[in-house]
Amino acid sequence: MDLITLKDWTSEELQATLDEAMDVKDHPDLYRQSLVGQSLGMLFQKTSTRTRTSFEVGMTQLGGHAVYLDWRSTNFTLADIGDEAQVLSRYVDGIVARMMRHDDLLDLASGSEVPVINGCCDRYHPCQAVGDLLTIREVAGKLDGAHLVYAGIRNNVCNSLIAACIKTGVRITVVAPEVNPASDDPELMEAARESGLFAETLDLVAAAAAADFLYTDTWIDMEFFEDDSFREERERRIAAFTPYQINESLLEKSDAYVMHCLPAHKGYEVTAGVMASERSIVIDQAENRLHAQKAILMRSMGA
Ligand code: CP
């Protein structure tokens, strides 16, 4: 079973994955043999700490094996993506791919004969959202009725949070003055608006006051942040998004916990003080990527 976007999963599939992630976190020893003899290909076009490590360690903890493939050192750079994916899929039982472009991920998935998991593309980051819901469920005690406020640019992470929340009864309010053009998904937005669980506003203070969880992400892709050719756009975005920063002043008007998918640009979308505060649950959130990944692997690879 592929995980390209959570739009493709039913509420029941997502809830069952979260149940399993909780159980694998509580009882890791019960799952040590779950993927014995199975191999995972991990193809990354972009850098990663959390996604790469949690999938690789997750496979080890489930009794399987992971093979990391840096895109630049493979012949994916030279050949048709679908052809290379078909060959890779003859060696492994599942593929995690972090691709820059969603369309390239779709080409890879159509060539593969084994399940493909999206390890983050420009449109979705489904594995992040599964880990995030696991964190919300742990902290709030349940998902149904919890209120998540996402502030910043509407991007791949935001899309997957929307898709996940509206399937699990989590209310989500998006405070985003702009959408990342590569992430725009009108079909998702229509489903969100019809769900009764989704709201949009630019009033961050009012939204934060009503939030249980306040979530933000980088306004500028990490690889462009120091890139001089991106300087003008970087300066424009900093001016446009700074009013939506999660900072100490905002937290004085809110009781919400603070979440971030990481890595963060401290001082931009979130202050260093907020990141280090007792309200921040970002490290627990990052840990939960491991438990969520294990549940995703078992569901996708048929354990
Ligand atoms: N949040 C996230 O996907 O982190 P990495 O880019 O380090 O994998």
Side-chain angles (χ1 to χ4, degrees):
M1 179 182 188
D2 287 345
L3 177 52
I4 303 297
T5 161
L6 287 169
K7 292 194 303 181
D8 300 336
W9 278 21
T10 65
S11 297
E12 291 73 23
E13 286 165 340
L14 179 52
Q15 291 281 9
T17 304
L18 289 165
D19 290 345
E20 190 143 66
M22 200 71 251
D23 201 56
V24 83
K25 182 172 183 177
D26 290 341
H27 309 288
D29 287 343
L30 296 180
Y31 294 87
R32 298 251 179 234
Q33 306 293 314
S34 296
L35 292 179
V36 162
Q38 297 212 43
S39 295
L40 178 73
M42 298 176 49
L43 180 65
F44 279 61
Q45 258 188 347
K46 295 178 73 179
T47 56
S48 168
T49 303
R50 280 145 288 274
T51 308
R52 176 185 173 174
T53 313
S54 55
F55 269 113
E56 198 162 331
V57 171
M59 275 304 283
T60 302
Q61 293 184 357
L62 295 171
H65 174 67
V67 182
Y68 179 73
L69 296 148
D70 181 334
W71 175 269
R72 289 161 301 181
S73 65
T74 68
N75 283 334
F76 275 93
T77 54
L78 305 176
D80 181 83
I81 291 176
D83 291 348
E84 290 292 288
Q86 187 174 15
V87 173
L88 179 61
S89 70
R90 294 284 175 100
Y91 305 137
V92 298
D93 304 285
I95 296 172
V96 171
R98 171 166 284 193
M99 304 293 287
M100 299 214 198
R101 294 178 57 244
H102 183 67
D103 287 348
D104 287 342
L105 179 71
L106 295 180
D107 284 348
L108 188 149
S110 64
S112 173
E113 297 173 7
V114 297
V116 172
I117 299 168
N118 181 356
C120 188
C121 66
D122 54 2
R123 205 168 300 166
Y124 307 109
H125 197 353
C127 302
Q128 179 68 51
V130 176
D132 295 340
L133 285 196
L134 181 64
T135 309
I136 291 171
R137 188 169 127 173
E138 274 187 313
V139 173
K142 61 186 174 73
L143 289 175
D144 198 33
H147 185 198
L148 174 70
V149 169
Y150 176 94
I153 194 162
R154 181 150 61 79
N155 61 6
N156 49 1
V157 169
C158 182
N159 279 347
S160 289
L161 283 170
I162 293 170
C165 287
I166 65 175
K167 285 180 191 277
T168 54
V170 176
R171 290 190 295 134
I172 177 163
T173 299
V174 172
V175 186
E178 291 179 28
V179 57
N180 184 352
S183 311
D184 199 18
D185 184 345
E187 179 191 79
L188 173 68
M189 297 311 290
E190 190 181 335
R193 290 181 184 117
E194 286 172 1
S195 71
L197 291 163
F198 174 77
E200 286 174 289
T201 178
L202 290 181
D203 188 342
L204 178 59
V205 173
D212 301 313
F213 298 89
L214 259 174
Y215 197 121
T216 191
D217 186 13
T218 52
W219 308 323
I220 305 162
D221 285 350
M222 281 283 170
E223 64 266 37
F224 297 132
F225 201 75
E226 306 294 344
D227 182 344
D228 247 11
S229 63
F230 202 71
R231 186 166 38 153
E232 205 175 306
E233 177 62 8
R234 181 172 64 232
E235 297 310 317
R236 189 195 70 75
R237 287 198 192 183
I238 288 169
F241 287 97
T242 294
Y244 302 92
Q245 183 188 63
I246 309 295
N247 54 33
E248 286 80 351
S249 160
L250 184 69
L251 283 203
E252 281 173 15
K253 304 173 189 89
S254 170
D255 295 325
Y257 292 99
V258 174
M259 301 179 75
H260 193 303
C261 56
L262 302 179
H265 284 135
K266 292 182 193 175
Y268 294 91
E269 74 273 9
V270 63
T271 60
V274 165
M275 287 277 285
S277 76
E278 289 183 357
R279 302 275 284 284
S280 166
I281 55 172
V282 299
I283 302 302
D284 294 332
Q285 180 188 356
E287 180 201 319
N288 278 338
R289 295 292 308 278
L290 172 65
H291 312 297
Q293 247 60 300
K294 289 164 78 174
I296 291 167
L297 285 166
M298 288 189 284
R299 177 154 295 269
S300 293
M301 294 165 74

PDB file of all heavy atoms in Angstrom, residues 82-118:
ATOM      1  N   GLY A  82      10.961   6.155 -13.798  1.00  0.00           N
ATOM      2  CA  GLY A  82      10.109   4.965 -13.695  1.00  0.00           C
ATOM      3  C   GLY A  82      10.891   3.682 -13.928  1.00  0.00           C
ATOM      4  O   GLY A  82      10.687   2.678 -13.238  1.00  0.00           O
ATOM      5  N   ASP A  83      11.809   3.707 -14.911  1.00  0.00           N
ATOM      6  CA  ASP A  83      12.614   2.509 -15.212  1.00  0.00           C
ATOM      7  C   ASP A  83      13.513   2.147 -14.024  1.00  0.00           C
ATOM      8  O   ASP A  83      13.604   0.989 -13.624  1.00  0.00           O
ATOM      9  CB  ASP A  83      13.500   2.750 -16.442  1.00  0.00           C
ATOM     10  CG  ASP A  83      12.701   2.848 -17.727  1.00  0.00           C
ATOM     11  OD1 ASP A  83      11.496   2.513 -17.712  1.00  0.00           O
ATOM     12  OD2 ASP A  83      13.282   3.286 -18.740  1.00  0.00           O
ATOM     13  N   GLU A  84      14.183   3.162 -13.505  1.00  0.00           N
ATOM     14  CA  GLU A  84      15.080   2.898 -12.361  1.00  0.00           C
ATOM     15  C   GLU A  84      14.283   2.410 -11.152  1.00  0.00           C
ATOM     16  O   GLU A  84      14.717   1.524 -10.421  1.00  0.00           O
ATOM     17  CB  GLU A  84      15.872   4.166 -12.001  1.00  0.00           C
ATOM     18  CG  GLU A  84      16.911   4.560 -13.017  1.00  0.00           C
ATOM     19  CD  GLU A  84      18.066   3.572 -13.085  1.00  0.00           C
ATOM     20  OE1 GLU A  84      18.882   3.513 -12.163  1.00  0.00           O
ATOM     21  OE2 GLU A  84      18.149   2.848 -14.095  1.00  0.00           O
ATOM     22  N   ALA A  85      13.101   2.993 -10.948  1.00  0.00           N
ATOM     23  CA  ALA A  85      12.268   2.596  -9.809  1.00  0.00           C
ATOM     24  C   ALA A  85      11.817   1.140  -9.950  1.00  0.00           C
ATOM     25  O   ALA A  85      11.777   0.392  -8.966  1.00  0.00           O
ATOM     26  CB  ALA A  85      11.051   3.511  -9.700  1.00  0.00           C
ATOM     27  N   GLN A  86      11.511   0.740 -11.192  1.00  0.00           N
ATOM     28  CA  GLN A  86      11.075  -0.647 -11.392  1.00  0.00           C
ATOM     29  C   GLN A  86      12.203  -1.614 -11.022  1.00  0.00           C
ATOM     30  O   GLN A  86      11.987  -2.626 -10.364  1.00  0.00           O
ATOM     31  CB  GLN A  86      10.641  -0.868 -12.844  1.00  0.00           C
ATOM     32  CG  GLN A  86      10.018  -2.239 -13.040  1.00  0.00           C
ATOM     33  CD  GLN A  86       9.451  -2.432 -14.430  1.00  0.00           C
ATOM     34  OE1 GLN A  86       9.757  -1.653 -15.348  1.00  0.00           O
ATOM     35  NE2 GLN A  86       8.624  -3.451 -14.596  1.00  0.00           N
ATOM     36  N   VAL A  87      13.415  -1.266 -11.432  1.00  0.00           N
ATOM     37  CA  VAL A  87      14.559  -2.127 -11.094  1.00  0.00           C
ATOM     38  C   VAL A  87      14.774  -2.150  -9.578  1.00  0.00           C
ATOM     39  O   VAL A  87      14.898  -3.216  -8.965  1.00  0.00           O
ATOM     40  CB  VAL A  87      15.837  -1.643 -11.823  1.00  0.00           C
ATOM     41  CG1 VAL A  87      17.050  -2.414 -11.336  1.00  0.00           C
ATOM     42  CG2 VAL A  87      15.669  -1.782 -13.323  1.00  0.00           C
ATOM     43  N   LEU A  88      14.797  -0.956  -8.973  1.00  0.00           N
ATOM     44  CA  LEU A  88      14.993  -0.891  -7.516  1.00  0.00           C
ATOM     45  C   LEU A  88      13.957  -1.759  -6.806  1.00  0.00           C
ATOM     46  O   LEU A  88      14.270  -2.459  -5.834  1.00  0.00           O
ATOM     47  CB  LEU A  88      14.895   0.586  -7.056  1.00  0.00           C
ATOM     48  CG  LEU A  88      15.051   0.860  -5.576  1.00  0.00           C
ATOM     49  CD1 LEU A  88      16.423   0.408  -5.061  1.00  0.00           C
ATOM     50  CD2 LEU A  88      14.842   2.355  -5.277  1.00  0.00           C
ATOM     51  N   SER A  89      12.745  -1.736  -7.314  1.00  0.00           N
ATOM     52  CA  SER A  89      11.665  -2.471  -6.637  1.00  0.00           C
ATOM     53  C   SER A  89      11.809  -3.985  -6.776  1.00  0.00           C
ATOM     54  O   SER A  89      11.129  -4.734  -6.076  1.00  0.00           O
ATOM     55  CB  SER A  89      10.302  -2.006  -7.156  1.00  0.00           C
ATOM     56  OG  SER A  89      10.076  -2.432  -8.481  1.00  0.00           O
ATOM     57  N   ARG A  90      12.681  -4.446  -7.669  1.00  0.00           N
ATOM     58  CA  ARG A  90      12.959  -5.893  -7.742  1.00  0.00           C
ATOM     59  C   ARG A  90      13.928  -6.331  -6.636  1.00  0.00           C
ATOM     60  O   ARG A  90      14.098  -7.518  -6.396  1.00  0.00           O
ATOM     61  CB  ARG A  90      13.539  -6.260  -9.113  1.00  0.00           C
ATOM     62  CG  ARG A  90      12.572  -6.082 -10.273  1.00  0.00           C
ATOM     63  CD  ARG A  90      11.525  -7.195 -10.328  1.00  0.00           C
ATOM     64  NE  ARG A  90      10.534  -6.952 -11.355  1.00  0.00           N
ATOM     65  CZ  ARG A  90      10.536  -7.520 -12.575  1.00  0.00           C
ATOM     66  NH1 ARG A  90      11.486  -8.384 -12.893  1.00  0.00           N
ATOM     67  NH2 ARG A  90       9.597  -7.239 -13.446  1.00  0.00           N
ATOM     68  N   TYR A  91      14.593  -5.355  -6.001  1.00  0.00           N
ATOM     69  CA  TYR A  91      15.562  -5.676  -4.938  1.00  0.00           C
ATOM     70  C   TYR A  91      14.981  -5.499  -3.540  1.00  0.00           C
ATOM     71  O   TYR A  91      15.471  -6.092  -2.581  1.00  0.00           O
ATOM     72  CB  TYR A  91      16.796  -4.757  -5.024  1.00  0.00           C
ATOM     73  CG  TYR A  91      17.511  -4.732  -6.347  1.00  0.00           C
ATOM     74  CD1 TYR A  91      17.951  -3.528  -6.882  1.00  0.00           C
ATOM     75  CD2 TYR A  91      17.783  -5.913  -7.041  1.00  0.00           C
ATOM     76  CE1 TYR A  91      18.633  -3.490  -8.097  1.00  0.00           C
ATOM     77  CE2 TYR A  91      18.457  -5.873  -8.255  1.00  0.00           C
ATOM     78  CZ  TYR A  91      18.877  -4.660  -8.778  1.00  0.00           C
ATOM     79  OH  TYR A  91      19.546  -4.619  -9.970  1.00  0.00           O
ATOM     80  N   VAL A  92      14.017  -4.621  -3.404  1.00  0.00           N
ATOM     81  CA  VAL A  92      13.537  -4.249  -2.069  1.00  0.00           C
ATOM     82  C   VAL A  92      12.032  -4.500  -1.952  1.00  0.00           C
ATOM     83  O   VAL A  92      11.354  -4.745  -2.960  1.00  0.00           O
ATOM     84  CB  VAL A  92      13.842  -2.756  -1.758  1.00  0.00           C
ATOM     85  CG1 VAL A  92      15.339  -2.487  -1.764  1.00  0.00           C
ATOM     86  CG2 VAL A  92      13.119  -1.829  -2.734  1.00  0.00           C
ATOM     87  N   ASP A  93      11.531  -4.416  -0.727  1.00  0.00           N
ATOM     88  CA  ASP A  93      10.108  -4.701  -0.472  1.00  0.00           C
ATOM     89  C   ASP A  93       9.285  -3.429  -0.306  1.00  0.00           C
ATOM     90  O   ASP A  93       8.060  -3.482  -0.214  1.00  0.00           O
ATOM     91  CB  ASP A  93      10.000  -5.564   0.789  1.00  0.00           C
ATOM     92  CG  ASP A  93      10.830  -6.828   0.659  1.00  0.00           C
ATOM     93  OD1 ASP A  93      10.410  -7.738  -0.067  1.00  0.00           O
ATOM     94  OD2 ASP A  93      11.930  -6.889   1.263  1.00  0.00           O
ATOM     95  N   GLY A  94       9.972  -2.304  -0.211  1.00  0.00           N
ATOM     96  CA  GLY A  94       9.291  -1.017  -0.105  1.00  0.00           C
ATOM     97  C   GLY A  94      10.295   0.079  -0.404  1.00  0.00           C
ATOM     98  O   GLY A  94      11.515  -0.138  -0.297  1.00  0.00           O
ATOM     99  N   ILE A  95       9.785   1.242  -0.815  1.00  0.00           N
ATOM    100  CA  ILE A  95      10.668   2.374  -1.128  1.00  0.00           C
ATOM    101  C   ILE A  95      10.155   3.606  -0.405  1.00  0.00           C
ATOM    102  O   ILE A  95       8.961   3.913  -0.451  1.00  0.00           O
ATOM    103  CB  ILE A  95      10.690   2.658  -2.657  1.00  0.00           C
ATOM    104  CG1 ILE A  95      11.293   1.473  -3.423  1.00  0.00           C
ATOM    105  CG2 ILE A  95      11.463   3.944  -2.959  1.00  0.00           C
ATOM    106  CD1 ILE A  95      11.166   1.582  -4.942  1.00  0.00           C
ATOM    107  N   VAL A  96      11.059   4.297   0.294  1.00  0.00           N
ATOM    108  CA  VAL A  96      10.774   5.643   0.786  1.00  0.00           C
ATOM    109  C   VAL A  96      11.510   6.604  -0.131  1.00  0.00           C
ATOM    110  O   VAL A  96      12.709   6.415  -0.380  1.00  0.00           O
ATOM    111  CB  VAL A  96      11.264   5.848   2.238  1.00  0.00           C
ATOM    112  CG1 VAL A  96      11.156   7.313   2.637  1.00  0.00           C
ATOM    113  CG2 VAL A  96      10.473   4.991   3.194  1.00  0.00           C
ATOM    114  N   ALA A  97      10.811   7.592  -0.633  1.00  0.00           N
ATOM    115  CA  ALA A  97      11.468   8.544  -1.545  1.00  0.00           C
ATOM    116  C   ALA A  97      11.203   9.968  -1.093  1.00  0.00           C
ATOM    117  O   ALA A  97      10.054  10.348  -0.830  1.00  0.00           O
ATOM    118  CB  ALA A  97      10.962   8.348  -2.968  1.00  0.00           C
ATOM    119  N   ARG A  98      12.275  10.741  -0.980  1.00  0.00           N
ATOM    120  CA  ARG A  98      12.160  12.188  -0.763  1.00  0.00           C
ATOM    121  C   ARG A  98      12.527  12.858  -2.074  1.00  0.00           C
ATOM    122  O   ARG A  98      13.702  12.894  -2.448  1.00  0.00           O
ATOM    123  CB  ARG A  98      13.063  12.657   0.378  1.00  0.00           C
ATOM    124  CG  ARG A  98      13.115  14.173   0.468  1.00  0.00           C
ATOM    125  CD  ARG A  98      13.700  14.666   1.765  1.00  0.00           C
ATOM    126  NE  ARG A  98      12.754  14.531   2.859  1.00  0.00           N
ATOM    127  CZ  ARG A  98      12.892  15.094   4.054  1.00  0.00           C
ATOM    128  NH1 ARG A  98      13.935  15.837   4.319  1.00  0.00           N
ATOM    129  NH2 ARG A  98      11.986  14.915   4.989  1.00  0.00           N
ATOM    130  N   MET A  99      11.513  13.320  -2.772  1.00  0.00           N
ATOM    131  CA  MET A  99      11.706  13.912  -4.092  1.00  0.00           C
ATOM    132  C   MET A  99      11.381  15.396  -4.032  1.00  0.00           C
ATOM    133  O   MET A  99      10.501  15.828  -3.301  1.00  0.00           O
ATOM    134  CB  MET A  99      10.774  13.236  -5.110  1.00  0.00           C
ATOM    135  CG  MET A  99      10.929  11.720  -5.190  1.00  0.00           C
ATOM    136  SD  MET A  99      12.515  11.210  -5.860  1.00  0.00           S
ATOM    137  CE  MET A  99      12.273  11.626  -7.579  1.00  0.00           C
ATOM    138  N   MET A 100      12.068  16.161  -4.858  1.00  0.00           N
ATOM    139  CA  MET A 100      11.777  17.598  -4.894  1.00  0.00           C
ATOM    140  C   MET A 100      10.392  17.841  -5.487  1.00  0.00           C
ATOM    141  O   MET A 100       9.637  18.665  -4.994  1.00  0.00           O
ATOM    142  CB  MET A 100      12.822  18.310  -5.740  1.00  0.00           C
ATOM    143  CG  MET A 100      14.211  18.152  -5.165  1.00  0.00           C
ATOM    144  SD  MET A 100      15.169  19.608  -5.457  1.00  0.00           S
ATOM    145  CE  MET A 100      16.802  19.006  -5.214  1.00  0.00           C
ATOM    146  N   ARG A 101      10.073  17.123  -6.561  1.00  0.00           N
ATOM    147  CA  ARG A 101       8.836  17.413  -7.290  1.00  0.00           C
ATOM    148  C   ARG A 101       7.839  16.272  -7.120  1.00  0.00           C
ATOM    149  O   ARG A 101       8.187  15.096  -7.309  1.00  0.00           O
ATOM    150  CB  ARG A 101       9.142  17.629  -8.774  1.00  0.00           C
ATOM    151  CG  ARG A 101       9.990  18.881  -9.037  1.00  0.00           C
ATOM    152  CD  ARG A 101      10.316  19.053 -10.515  1.00  0.00           C
ATOM    153  NE  ARG A 101       9.103  19.117 -11.318  1.00  0.00           N
ATOM    154  CZ  ARG A 101       8.757  18.215 -12.239  1.00  0.00           C
ATOM    155  NH1 ARG A 101       9.528  17.180 -12.463  1.00  0.00           N
ATOM    156  NH2 ARG A 101       7.639  18.351 -12.915  1.00  0.00           N
ATOM    157  N   HIS A 102       6.606  16.634  -6.824  1.00  0.00           N
ATOM    158  CA  HIS A 102       5.553  15.637  -6.650  1.00  0.00           C
ATOM    159  C   HIS A 102       5.390  14.787  -7.916  1.00  0.00           C
ATOM    160  O   HIS A 102       5.205  13.566  -7.830  1.00  0.00           O
ATOM    161  CB  HIS A 102       4.243  16.356  -6.309  1.00  0.00           C
ATOM    162  CG  HIS A 102       3.115  15.427  -6.044  1.00  0.00           C
ATOM    163  ND1 HIS A 102       3.071  14.591  -4.950  1.00  0.00           N
ATOM    164  CD2 HIS A 102       1.978  15.176  -6.752  1.00  0.00           C
ATOM    165  CE1 HIS A 102       1.960  13.879  -4.981  1.00  0.00           C
ATOM    166  NE2 HIS A 102       1.277  14.209  -6.058  1.00  0.00           N
ATOM    167  N   ASP A 103       5.476  15.422  -9.070  1.00  0.00           N
ATOM    168  CA  ASP A 103       5.285  14.670 -10.318  1.00  0.00           C
ATOM    169  C   ASP A 103       6.363  13.603 -10.495  1.00  0.00           C
ATOM    170  O   ASP A 103       6.088  12.519 -11.041  1.00  0.00           O
ATOM    171  CB  ASP A 103       5.278  15.625 -11.527  1.00  0.00           C
ATOM    172  CG  ASP A 103       3.984  16.434 -11.587  1.00  0.00           C
ATOM    173  OD1 ASP A 103       3.029  16.093 -10.853  1.00  0.00           O
ATOM    174  OD2 ASP A 103       3.938  17.414 -12.348  1.00  0.00           O
ATOM    175  N   ASP A 104       7.586  13.885 -10.046  1.00  0.00           N
ATOM    176  CA  ASP A 104       8.641  12.872 -10.129  1.00  0.00           C
ATOM    177  C   ASP A 104       8.349  11.718  -9.166  1.00  0.00           C
ATOM    178  O   ASP A 104       8.638  10.554  -9.464  1.00  0.00           O
ATOM    179  CB  ASP A 104      10.007  13.490  -9.800  1.00  0.00           C
ATOM    180  CG  ASP A 104      10.512  14.384 -10.929  1.00  0.00           C
ATOM    181  OD1 ASP A 104       9.991  14.260 -12.058  1.00  0.00           O
ATOM    182  OD2 ASP A 104      11.402  15.209 -10.682  1.00  0.00           O
ATOM    183  N   LEU A 105       7.778  12.042  -8.017  1.00  0.00           N
ATOM    184  CA  LEU A 105       7.397  10.984  -7.078  1.00  0.00           C
ATOM    185  C   LEU A 105       6.325  10.087  -7.709  1.00  0.00           C
ATOM    186  O   LEU A 105       6.375   8.855  -7.573  1.00  0.00           O
ATOM    187  CB  LEU A 105       6.866  11.612  -5.779  1.00  0.00           C
ATOM    188  CG  LEU A 105       6.408  10.613  -4.731  1.00  0.00           C
ATOM    189  CD1 LEU A 105       7.599   9.884  -4.118  1.00  0.00           C
ATOM    190  CD2 LEU A 105       5.600  11.306  -3.634  1.00  0.00           C
ATOM    191  N   LEU A 106       5.384  10.694  -8.418  1.00  0.00           N
ATOM    192  CA  LEU A 106       4.339   9.904  -9.079  1.00  0.00           C
ATOM    193  C   LEU A 106       4.942   9.008 -10.161  1.00  0.00           C
ATOM    194  O   LEU A 106       4.534   7.845 -10.307  1.00  0.00           O
ATOM    195  CB  LEU A 106       3.265  10.824  -9.671  1.00  0.00           C
ATOM    196  CG  LEU A 106       2.438  11.632  -8.666  1.00  0.00           C
ATOM    197  CD1 LEU A 106       1.422  12.506  -9.391  1.00  0.00           C
ATOM    198  CD2 LEU A 106       1.730  10.726  -7.656  1.00  0.00           C
ATOM    199  N   ASP A 107       5.934   9.524 -10.911  1.00  0.00           N
ATOM    200  CA  ASP A 107       6.614   8.695 -11.921  1.00  0.00           C
ATOM    201  C   ASP A 107       7.307   7.513 -11.250  1.00  0.00           C
ATOM    202  O   ASP A 107       7.261   6.383 -11.742  1.00  0.00           O
ATOM    203  CB  ASP A 107       7.677   9.522 -12.668  1.00  0.00           C
ATOM    204  CG  ASP A 107       7.043  10.460 -13.678  1.00  0.00           C
ATOM    205  OD1 ASP A 107       5.838  10.312 -13.963  1.00  0.00           O
ATOM    206  OD2 ASP A 107       7.757  11.359 -14.170  1.00  0.00           O
ATOM    207  N   LEU A 108       7.947   7.799 -10.131  1.00  0.00           N
ATOM    208  CA  LEU A 108       8.651   6.742  -9.403  1.00  0.00           C
ATOM    209  C   LEU A 108       7.652   5.685  -8.925  1.00  0.00           C
ATOM    210  O   LEU A 108       7.863   4.479  -9.090  1.00  0.00           O
ATOM    211  CB  LEU A 108       9.392   7.362  -8.216  1.00  0.00           C
ATOM    212  CG  LEU A 108      10.344   6.477  -7.429  1.00  0.00           C
ATOM    213  CD1 LEU A 108      11.486   7.316  -6.873  1.00  0.00           C
ATOM    214  CD2 LEU A 108       9.651   5.771  -6.289  1.00  0.00           C
ATOM    215  N   ALA A 109       6.538   6.138  -8.380  1.00  0.00           N
ATOM    216  CA  ALA A 109       5.540   5.202  -7.845  1.00  0.00           C
ATOM    217  C   ALA A 109       4.911   4.373  -8.963  1.00  0.00           C
ATOM    218  O   ALA A 109       4.606   3.190  -8.771  1.00  0.00           O
ATOM    219  CB  ALA A 109       4.469   5.968  -7.074  1.00  0.00           C
ATOM    220  N   SER A 110       4.751   4.992 -10.136  1.00  0.00           N
ATOM    221  CA  SER A 110       4.114   4.219 -11.211  1.00  0.00           C
ATOM    222  C   SER A 110       5.073   3.167 -11.758  1.00  0.00           C
ATOM    223  O   SER A 110       4.645   2.130 -12.256  1.00  0.00           O
ATOM    224  CB  SER A 110       3.574   5.135 -12.312  1.00  0.00           C
ATOM    225  OG  SER A 110       4.636   5.802 -12.916  1.00  0.00           O
ATOM    226  N   GLY A 111       6.374   3.393 -11.636  1.00  0.00           N
ATOM    227  CA  GLY A 111       7.336   2.385 -12.073  1.00  0.00           C
ATOM    228  C   GLY A 111       7.553   1.286 -11.045  1.00  0.00           C
ATOM    229  O   GLY A 111       7.851   0.140 -11.396  1.00  0.00           O
ATOM    230  N   SER A 112       7.371   1.610  -9.787  1.00  0.00           N
ATOM    231  CA  SER A 112       7.694   0.659  -8.722  1.00  0.00           C
ATOM    232  C   SER A 112       6.680  -0.484  -8.646  1.00  0.00           C
ATOM    233  O   SER A 112       5.482  -0.281  -8.796  1.00  0.00           O
ATOM    234  CB  SER A 112       7.722   1.395  -7.374  1.00  0.00           C
ATOM    235  OG  SER A 112       7.872   0.465  -6.330  1.00  0.00           O
ATOM    236  N   GLU A 113       7.188  -1.673  -8.368  1.00  0.00           N
ATOM    237  CA  GLU A 113       6.315  -2.835  -8.163  1.00  0.00           C
ATOM    238  C   GLU A 113       6.112  -3.104  -6.679  1.00  0.00           C
ATOM    239  O   GLU A 113       5.486  -4.104  -6.309  1.00  0.00           O
ATOM    240  CB  GLU A 113       6.933  -4.050  -8.859  1.00  0.00           C
ATOM    241  CG  GLU A 113       7.036  -3.867 -10.367  1.00  0.00           C
ATOM    242  CD  GLU A 113       7.806  -4.988 -11.065  1.00  0.00           C
ATOM    243  OE1 GLU A 113       8.154  -5.998 -10.407  1.00  0.00           O
ATOM    244  OE2 GLU A 113       8.073  -4.849 -12.268  1.00  0.00           O
ATOM    245  N   VAL A 114       6.686  -2.257  -5.831  1.00  0.00           N
ATOM    246  CA  VAL A 114       6.492  -2.405  -4.374  1.00  0.00           C
ATOM    247  C   VAL A 114       5.954  -1.075  -3.839  1.00  0.00           C
ATOM    248  O   VAL A 114       6.026  -0.043  -4.520  1.00  0.00           O
ATOM    249  CB  VAL A 114       7.822  -2.787  -3.666  1.00  0.00           C
ATOM    250  CG1 VAL A 114       8.335  -4.133  -4.150  1.00  0.00           C
ATOM    251  CG2 VAL A 114       8.876  -1.699  -3.839  1.00  0.00           C
ATOM    252  N   PRO A 115       5.401  -1.093  -2.608  1.00  0.00           N
ATOM    253  CA  PRO A 115       4.824   0.144  -2.066  1.00  0.00           C
ATOM    254  C   PRO A 115       5.840   1.281  -1.987  1.00  0.00           C
ATOM    255  O   PRO A 115       7.014   1.069  -1.676  1.00  0.00           O
ATOM    256  CB  PRO A 115       4.364  -0.272  -0.663  1.00  0.00           C
ATOM    257  CG  PRO A 115       4.169  -1.737  -0.746  1.00  0.00           C
ATOM    258  CD  PRO A 115       5.201  -2.240  -1.710  1.00  0.00           C
ATOM    259  N   VAL A 116       5.355   2.484  -2.270  1.00  0.00           N
ATOM    260  CA  VAL A 116       6.184   3.690  -2.199  1.00  0.00           C
ATOM    261  C   VAL A 116       5.624   4.617  -1.131  1.00  0.00           C
ATOM    262  O   VAL A 116       4.412   4.883  -1.085  1.00  0.00           O
ATOM    263  CB  VAL A 116       6.233   4.413  -3.564  1.00  0.00           C
ATOM    264  CG1 VAL A 116       6.921   5.776  -3.443  1.00  0.00           C
ATOM    265  CG2 VAL A 116       6.962   3.552  -4.592  1.00  0.00           C
ATOM    266  N   ILE A 117       6.498   5.084  -0.265  1.00  0.00           N
ATOM    267  CA  ILE A 117       6.138   6.015   0.812  1.00  0.00           C
ATOM    268  C   ILE A 117       6.784   7.358   0.494  1.00  0.00           C
ATOM    269  O   ILE A 117       7.987   7.428   0.210  1.00  0.00           O
ATOM    270  CB  ILE A 117       6.641   5.488   2.173  1.00  0.00           C
ATOM    271  CG1 ILE A 117       5.994   4.128   2.496  1.00  0.00           C
ATOM    272  CG2 ILE A 117       6.366   6.497   3.281  1.00  0.00           C
ATOM    273  CD1 ILE A 117       6.647   3.401   3.672  1.00  0.00           C
ATOM    274  N   ASN A 118       5.982   8.391   0.567  1.00  0.00           N
ATOM    275  CA  ASN A 118       6.468   9.749   0.301  1.00  0.00           C
ATOM    276  C   ASN A 118       7.213  10.283   1.534  1.00  0.00           C
ATOM    277  O   ASN A 118       6.601  10.557   2.564  1.00  0.00           O
ATOM    278  CB  ASN A 118       5.264  10.646  -0.035  1.00  0.00           C
ATOM    279  CG  ASN A 118       5.662  12.073  -0.363  1.00  0.00           C
ATOM    280  OD1 ASN A 118       6.832  12.431  -0.273  1.00  0.00           O
ATOM    281  ND2 ASN A 118       4.687  12.883  -0.731  1.00  0.00           N
TER     282      ASN A 118
END
